Amino acid sequence: MTTTQAWLRYFWRPVPDDTSSHGLVRHAFFGASADAGPSATSVCDEVFALAKPSEIDWIHAPTCSSCNETLKEMKGP
């Protein structure tokens, strides 16, 4: 993978985050989900513990707008 394409590999994961009423927010993380350790730095530059989320977690966790906007900006027009 070339350097310019390296950022294209990312995954979303609901993680514990007090900014949500459900207690979880879906953040983006660079790399592959399978290669992730017990914690990782999100695209919005915060460190979160990673655990296997349930289907309910995916449904209730809102998407981090900062992660989303950063990825959009990196993608370009």
Side-chain angles (χ1 to χ4, degrees):
M1 190 176 317
T2 66
T3 307
T4 57
Q5 294 175 331
W7 73 269
L8 293 174
R9 185 82 168 193
Y10 61 89
F11 63 97
W12 292 89
R13 176 86 50 95
V15 294
D17 189 327
D18 294 334
T19 64
S20 168
S21 61
H22 182 65
L24 298 171
V25 173
R26 221 175 306 142
H27 286 275
F29 300 89
F30 290 115
S33 178
D35 298 332
S39 66
T41 303
S42 66
V43 171
C44 66
D45 207 31
E46 293 192 42
V47 177
F48 293 100
L50 300 178
K52 185 176 180 184
S54 70
E55 287 186 44
I56 297 297
D57 294 339
W58 282 103
I59 293 167
H60 287 284
T63 299
C64 172
S65 59
S66 180
C67 286
N68 200 28
E69 288 303 316
T70 300
L71 290 173
K72 284 181 184 178
E73 288 172 10
M74 292 176 79
K75 182 180 176 188

